[in-house]
Amino acid sequence: MNGHAHPITLAIARISQIFSSMGFDTVDGPELEDEWHNFDALNVPGDHPARDMQDTFWIQGAKGQNKHGEDVGYVLRTHTSNMQIRTMEQYVREGRALPLAICCPGKVFRNEATDATHEAQFHQIEMLYVGKDASLSMMIGMIEKFFSEFFGSNLVVRLRSSYFPFVEPGNEVDMQCFKCKGTGLIATGDNVATPDQPLVGLGCNVCKQTGWIEIGGAGMVHPKVLEAGGINPREYRGFAFGCGIDRMVMLKYGVDDVRLLYNGDLRVVNQF
Amino acid sequence: MKFSKSWLQEYIEETLPSSEVIASTLNKKAFEVEEVLFLHGDSIFDIKVLPNRAHDALGHRGMARELCADFGYTYKDDIRTEKSIDFYNAIVPSPLVAIDDTKSCTRFMSVRIDKVKVQESPQWLKEKLEAIGQRSINNIVDVTNYVQFAINKPMHAYDARSIVGTLRARFARASEQLVTLDDKQLTLDEKTLVIADDEKVLGLAGIKGGKFSGVKDDTTSVILESANFSASLIRKTAQKYSLKTDASKRFENGIANSLIEEGLYMTANIIKELFPDAIISLVADAYPKVDTPYYVGISLSEVNSILGTNYTEEVIEKTLTELSFCFEKIIPREYIEKVYPTLIGVHYKNPSSMREDAPHAFSCSSLISYLYKGIWMPSVSIDKYVFTQRVTKEQLQFGDLVFANSGEGLIRYESIEFLRGTKVPEGVDHVGMYIGNDAILHATKVEGKVVVQTFDEFVKSRTVVGYGRITDTLDEKRYVVTLPSERLDIRIKEDLAEEIGRIIGYDTLTPTLPSLTRTGLLPKRTYYENKVREILLANGFSEVMTYTFGDEGEVELVKGLADDKEKLRTSLRKGILQSLSLNLYNAPLIGQKVIKIFEFGSVFVGGEERRHFALALDDGGKKSTFTEEVDLLLAEIKRTLNVDVLDYETVSAKPYCISLDFDTLITTLPEPTTYEAPTFASLPAVTYQPVSPYPCITRDIAMWVPSGTTWESIYALCGEVSNPLVTRIDCFDTFTKTIEGVEKTSYAFRLVFQSFEKTLTDDEVNLMMEPYYELFKTKGYEIR
């Protein structure tokens, strides 16, 4: 009898496959990260209120220096966005030609009380594209393609204006509900919608009857972030997107408690 | 912050739409509306204002301006923020104000108002504050609070009797004491900015007032403070004293200096409305560095390339107007041509700030920034060098920059702010602009002013280092916006693109895809991990993920979630063994006799983050050994990965657990050059079934059935009992035997009972077994 891969592994493998087919490399990077790569280089300086937007695990007594010779502390990375900087740095170091197109799945950490939908450790997927032709429309196209492939259904996404220091414009991303196809309703029996009669059915439990699912954050890479990575924002633009892998798995399969993914329980794993 | 719809309406000519429409529009275009409440005929919106808009939108006026942009409405100004005739009375002595450190306090205004009376607030004021969840205190304090929530300017009122001498923004002396309005005794340090008079500390600047100097019941004369402080200093101080207030929240994000006067006038004007006989003094205003307007420009093609749109000039202009942004249309070439002749002869000053000194004085670099109005560029010469596109002398066009090293003074060899640390070995300390016909315009120390010189004259006292181009589209029209002073969030063209995009609506964007022809690769580690995973899965091992945190480890967190989660694991061993025992306990529910698991994960050992791999297996029995199975498995991994050495110690006793450094294992392996999808890359089409937190109870049945009876038919028969608490039914033994000439088959199987609501008892399960026995009996099956 074959064993079962962890659902997060399955999701990551599928995510990499989707991105690979679109020409995006998968990269990995450190979970224990310096403050510069996790915050400063992402346009979140030390005294900025945006640092409060994420609850951070700081490492006791760990000190190092960034590439400018300044003292930095260490954290458990609060997002996979650290890999935006590390990958840009690598491209510049190795003299690789742009466009840069990567995805980065990985474990991240937040210092917040745990419950069914919050874990102190979870997984994120980051997408980054840097080229001369990057635009918000291209970002939407990539995100739609990604979710459509992952959830196996043609989905549209919508942007809401928001703020993350490392992107400008910055957006929250909502995905059309893959279960009710954006209607907010699940048909019961052989009930189908007609031009004269709207769909009658049960409220969709996945999107709480809104037809939309809040799924991630995205935007055009802030020029300061490109600079921190060593890329001249006068010549290049970028877009980035990030969302929780755990959340994607929980949505797709109806897993009701994120903690079940990390307690090593085969009753969960073996269902996949 | 909570916003009242009726309060917002006061700033808007048109009637606002329904609360639902307001909420959904704000959600899309600007802010997340977390809650809408209905209260006494008003709607209260709880709106999440993020740090980028805390400068303008943490007040009803700013939010109303946002709604005007969102809906294309007309904004109605509140004239109470303006200086009225009442402020020209010299009978009441004006307070004295002083700023010790102009970096930490950028503006300090004050005014004194006599003949006031502290009493209950009028109804309208109470209602306004209570609607947004604020408690009414007294009329004076309520007015200051009202102003804060109206225009985002925290205000403070002192009892004039308690002030001696000058109101001063200064740093505290070591161990100075302060009792706050809410009776907290603070011991201050020298990095704490306070407001003090000649004798004592009056309050923590921008955070909280002191008890002694606050407004009392018998106060008849108040002194208003309206000031602005360094955002990062307020943030640090509020954190240091654990004092987060409505005021500190506003200051720590930064507010515009223009709000200082608006707040002061508004507060005084409203107090005067309450007490028509009140007398207002002349206004005191310490404002060492007066702000000038900020310009940001963007062209139509820039908007369209950032957003990926085909907007027209008309659409952009209409949108900027809806945003109440004043803008001019500038063609950079024409602008430079028109302006530079007027600057020749202007005084040279270094350093010199474009915002403060231009056009009355220039450094070489600020001259360039000034002429390129509406095009962002870094301020220092060497940064301009790094920023620009390199061109040769032959390619020089009007507007290109000429960089030089004058051989003395401060010559930079690496960039300061832009692409910080970029090396320029030739060294740069000067920049001029090529204006055609062998002529360079530059502000120079040698001449002490802005001059036009020939190339030969230019190189007499300096060496040309290189030439740079700011833009290829010098002839493209730009919209140069004079930003409303509160909008500190808009500083670069990308900010403008966002404003335009969100107001037009992101739903107008047409999705596209990048045209990449390559296939993306996996990182080396994942590539080889997948190979090992495939082997393990084929051998019946399932994958687990456990926690990074624990009570043992070399790396410690400053503050963990709990005492036993303060350290980072050095090995996967502990986690995987815990998982093993959990799964052995649940083995009947899992339907496996031998539990086989593995994990890949990062551990923190020897000062490094390493990727480890672990596997563990057991059947819970006392005598079982798995030595050979483990050795064979690792041999297969070694063979598949094609590594020479696989360093592990053979395990010959329980627990059967192998843990090794995967990074070391794959060190010598080559980087993958092709993408190979692992066998498990497709997502299974299953629906997750919840697992119960309660323990299970098992019952085993063995019975004889006529030969030829399949297990499937018995399994189906069990289904007829339809007991939802039966979690699984597993056959664990079967054989056929001829008994008294009749061939019979024996099936031994296990029923697993589990509830989602409670721990089942033996008695309950015994009862549940009855229907099965009955059913088998009617079928003529013989329970053994």
Side-chain angles (χ1 to χ4, degrees), chain A residues 1-6 8-11 13-14 16-17 20-32 46-53 57-60 68 70 76 96 99 101 107 109 111-114 119-121 123 129 134-138 140-142 144-145 150 159-163 168-171 214 220 222-223 226-227 230-234 237 252-256 259-272, chain B residues 27-32 50-52 232 235-236 239 244 252-253 305-309 376 386-389 417-420 469-470 492 494-495 497-498 502 506 509-514 516 518-523 525-526 533 537-549 555-561 568-569 579 582-583 586 589-590 592 595-597 602 604 609 611 675 677-678 680-684 686-692 754:
Chain A
M1 197 175 62
N2 274 358
H4 298 262
H6 194 280
I8 295 288
T9 301
L10 293 174
R14 177 66 185 132
S16 287
Q17 188 182 36
S20 171
S21 73
M22 294 194 282
F24 283 58
D25 290 331
T26 301
V27 299
D28 62 1
E31 292 170 11
L32 182 64
D47 57 6
H48 197 274
R51 279 222 181 165
D52 293 345
M53 290 167 74
F57 284 116
W58 289 86
I59 306 297
Q60 186 77 52
H68 302 302
E70 297 156 334
L76 285 177
R96 282 181 71 174
K107 204 181 205 180
F109 304 85
N111 191 352
E112 57 183 9
T114 62
E119 241 309 358
Q121 64 173 42
H123 287 75
Y129 178 90
S135 74
L136 211 58
S137 298
M138 191 185 275
I140 297 177
M142 278 299 300
E144 282 187 354
K145 172 99 173 148
F150 188 90
L159 302 185
R160 281 179 290 120
S161 189
S162 188
Y163 167 69
E168 189 65 47
N171 302 98
E214 291 180 22
M220 298 299 289
H222 196 287
L226 291 173
E227 264 189 66
I231 290 172
N232 191 333
R234 189 183 51 77
R237 287 189 302 272
K252 185 173 171 74
Y253 291 108
V255 177
D256 52 357
R259 294 167 295 193
L260 291 169
L261 298 173
Y262 300 107
N263 63 2
D265 193 338
L266 290 189
R267 290 181 299 166
V268 177
V269 171
N270 284 6
Q271 294 190 37
F272 295 91
Chain B
N27 270 327
K28 256 189 275 180
K29 299 193 175 199
F31 304 106
E32 192 179 329
L50 295 172
N52 65 326
S232 63
R235 181 174 151 82
K236 277 182 211 146
Q239 278 176 345
K244 283 234 164 194
E252 74 164 26
N253 283 290
S305 10
I306 292 169
L307 301 177
T309 47
W376 185 89
V386 172
F387 174 77
T388 49
Q389 180 197 342
E417 282 172 353
F418 185 82
L419 282 169
R420 193 173 154 203
R469 185 161 298 160
I470 299 280
I492 52 175
E494 287 76 9
D495 295 322
E498 172 169 64
R502 71 185 181 88
Y506 289 131
L509 270 50
T510 311
T512 59
L513 286 173
L516 299 169
R518 54 193 297 275
T519 303
L521 300 177
L522 292 181
R525 193 190 257 165
T526 311
R533 267 197 191 91
L537 294 174
N539 283 282
F541 282 76
S542 286
E543 183 178 20
V544 295
M545 289 187 183
T546 63
Y547 286 95
T548 299
F549 312 106
V555 180
E556 204 171 325
L557 301 174
V558 171
K559 190 174 169 294
L561 282 176
L568 306 187
R569 62 187 176 189
S579 166
L582 169 76
N583 289 310
N586 282 330
L589 285 164
I590 299 163
Q592 266 174 237
I595 300 296
K596 305 178 180 184
I597 51 176
S602 295
F604 303 83
E609 177 175 345
R611 192 74 170 168
Y675 173 78
F680 49 84
S682 62
L683 295 169
V686 295
T687 305
Y688 169 78
Q689 302 300 323
V691 294
S692 167
Q754 192 182 32

Side-chain angles (χ1 to χ4, degrees), chain B residues 288-570:
Chain B
K289 231 177 183 181
V290 177
D291 283 346
T292 51
Y294 206 100
Y295 304 102
V296 178
I298 195 165
S299 70
L300 179 67
S301 70
E302 284 168 350
V303 173
N304 281 330
S305 10
I306 292 169
L307 301 177
T309 47
N310 295 304
Y311 294 145
T312 59
E313 291 185 356
E314 291 70 36
V315 170
I316 303 294
E317 289 175 24
K318 178 172 166 281
T319 310
L320 290 174
T321 310
E322 281 169 352
L323 280 157
S324 308
F325 286 175
C326 296
F327 63 93
E328 50 187 325
K329 294 182 246 180
I330 288 179
I331 292 170
R333 179 192 304 279
E334 289 177 2
Y335 183 83
I336 296 169
E337 279 174 346
K338 189 181 82 189
V339 172
Y340 89 77
T342 69
L343 303 179
I344 294 168
V346 170
H347 179 58
Y348 173 86
K349 180 185 166 216
N350 191 30
S352 138
S353 150
M354 200 184 88
R355 284 191 77 196
E356 285 157 30
D357 300 310
H360 310 296
F362 290 105
S363 65
C364 64
S365 194
S366 74
L367 175 67
I368 307 294
S369 300
Y370 184 78
L371 285 170
Y372 271 101
K373 185 174 181 179
I375 295 185
W376 185 89
M377 66 183 72
S379 47
V380 188
S381 298
I382 190 157
D383 289 353
K384 284 186 166 74
Y385 179 85
V386 172
F387 174 77
T388 49
Q389 180 197 342
R390 283 289 77 72
V391 291
T392 62
K393 191 177 179 188
E394 293 65 39
Q395 293 166 329
L396 272 185
Q397 293 172 4
F398 178 87
D400 285 344
L401 306 189
V402 183
F403 295 93
N405 179 339
S406 14
E408 53 174 19
L410 180 61
I411 296 153
R412 306 267 189 195
Y413 293 92
E414 59 180 59
S415 60
I416 317 283
E417 282 172 353
F418 185 82
L419 282 169
R420 193 173 154 203
T422 306
K423 302 269 185 290
V424 184
E426 305 88 339
V428 173
D429 71 339
H430 190 63
V431 60
M433 182 189 285
Y434 182 69
I435 52 171
N437 296 322
D438 195 39
I440 298 172
L441 171 84
H442 62 138
T444 160
K445 188 164 109 187
V446 182
E447 306 282 336
K449 59 186 178 186
V450 176
V451 294
V452 173
Q453 289 185 320
T454 63
F455 245 99
D456 286 345
E457 287 165 340
F458 185 82
V459 298
K460 246 181 221 160
S461 55
R462 49 186 79 85
T463 314
V464 171
V465 169
Y467 309 94
R469 185 161 298 160
I470 299 280
T471 172
D472 288 324
T473 54
L474 210 53
D475 293 301
E476 194 189 8
K477 182 168 36 181
R478 299 184 72 75
Y479 299 98
V480 180
V481 174
T482 310
L483 289 160
S485 57
E486 296 99 299
R487 292 301 300 271
L488 303 177
D489 58 315
I490 304 176
R491 286 297 178 260
I492 52 175
K493 65 175 187 295
E494 287 76 9
D495 295 322
L496 275 185
E498 172 169 64
E499 291 301 298
I500 294 166
R502 71 185 181 88
I503 295 301
I504 296 175
Y506 289 131
D507 46 1
T508 62
L509 270 50
T510 311
T512 59
L513 286 173
S515 49
L516 299 169
T517 49
R518 54 193 297 275
T519 303
L521 300 177
L522 292 181
K524 177 177 170 183
R525 193 190 257 165
T526 311
Y527 178 87
Y528 291 110
E529 268 182 25
N530 285 347
K531 302 235 170 267
V532 174
R533 267 197 191 91
E534 283 170 353
I535 297 169
L536 289 158
L537 294 174
N539 283 282
F541 282 76
S542 286
E543 183 178 20
V544 295
M545 289 187 183
T546 63
Y547 286 95
T548 299
F549 312 106
D551 55 0
E552 290 169 15
E554 301 166 6
V555 180
E556 204 171 325
L557 301 174
V558 171
K559 190 174 169 294
L561 282 176
D563 289 349
D564 60 345
K565 291 174 182 158
E566 301 242 284
K567 290 172 179 169
L568 306 187
R569 62 187 176 189
T570 54

Side-chain angles (χ1 to χ4, degrees), chain B residues 65-246:
Chain B
R65 280 188 183 139
E66 174 61 38
L67 289 170
C68 285
D70 295 338
F71 290 106
Y73 289 163
T74 320
Y75 169 70
K76 210 160 70 178
D77 220 342
D78 185 345
I79 55 157
R80 294 179 299 179
T81 59
E82 289 164 20
K83 193 171 184 174
S84 63
I85 186 83
D86 299 322
F87 293 89
Y88 295 94
N89 191 326
I91 298 169
V92 175
S94 170
L96 300 170
V97 297
I99 295 171
D100 274 10
D101 174 35
T102 56
K103 278 210 175 77
S104 49
C105 177
T106 52
R107 191 173 190 184
F108 193 161
M109 293 181 81
S110 184
V111 76
R112 173 168 162 167
I113 310 175
D114 282 2
K115 290 192 179 179
V116 299
K117 192 166 185 271
V118 177
Q119 56 196 38
E120 206 176 317
S121 284
Q123 199 57 27
W124 70 267
L125 183 53
K126 268 203 223 169
E127 278 172 12
K128 280 247 161 36
L129 291 174
E130 281 165 5
I132 58 166
Q134 297 294 317
R135 197 165 52 92
S136 170
I137 295 165
N138 62 49
N139 52 354
I140 303 294
V141 174
D142 285 1
V143 171
T144 60
N145 271 333
Y146 171 81
V147 169
Q148 167 168 261
F149 295 109
I151 66 168
N152 195 22
K153 173 66 190 71
M155 295 294 306
H156 192 69
Y158 298 100
D159 183 325
R161 292 173 299 182
S162 56
I163 310 284
V164 180
T166 305
L167 277 176
R168 183 180 296 274
R170 64 156 167 92
F171 285 102
R173 296 174 193 119
S175 305
E176 240 177 325
Q177 302 288 311
L178 172 70
V179 180
T180 61
L181 275 170
D182 53 352
D183 287 318
K184 275 197 190 116
Q185 172 86 38
L186 301 180
T187 302
L188 310 174
D189 65 23
E190 288 162 308
K191 285 180 178 170
T192 303
L193 190 71
V194 297
I195 306 296
D197 67 5
D198 290 354
E199 295 178 343
K200 63 205 169 283
V201 174
L202 303 169
L204 274 188
I207 301 173
K208 202 153 197 104
K211 191 179 172 80
F212 175 74
S213 56
V215 172
K216 319 268 186 319
D217 289 346
D218 61 350
T219 301
T220 56
S221 174
V222 293
I223 287 178
L224 300 181
E225 169 204 321
S226 183
N228 200 5
F229 308 104
S230 149
S232 63
L233 180 67
I234 297 298
R235 181 174 151 82
K236 277 182 211 146
T237 311
Q239 278 176 345
K240 188 174 1 181
Y241 296 100
S242 300
L243 276 173
K244 283 234 164 194
T245 60
D246 281 320

Side-chain angles (χ1 to χ4, degrees), chain B residues 648-698:
Chain B
Y648 78 99
E649 278 176 32
T650 295
V651 185
S652 50
K654 293 192 177 194
Y656 286 89
C657 175
I658 300 281
S659 163
L660 50 87
D661 185 324
F662 192 71
D663 284 336
T664 305
L665 183 64
I666 62 169
T667 308
T668 56
L669 298 180
E671 287 282 339
T673 52
T674 55
Y675 173 78
E676 288 172 37
T679 50
F680 49 84
S682 62
L683 295 169
V686 295
T687 305
Y688 169 78
Q689 302 300 323
V691 294
S692 167
Y694 299 101
C696 65
I697 289 188
T698 62

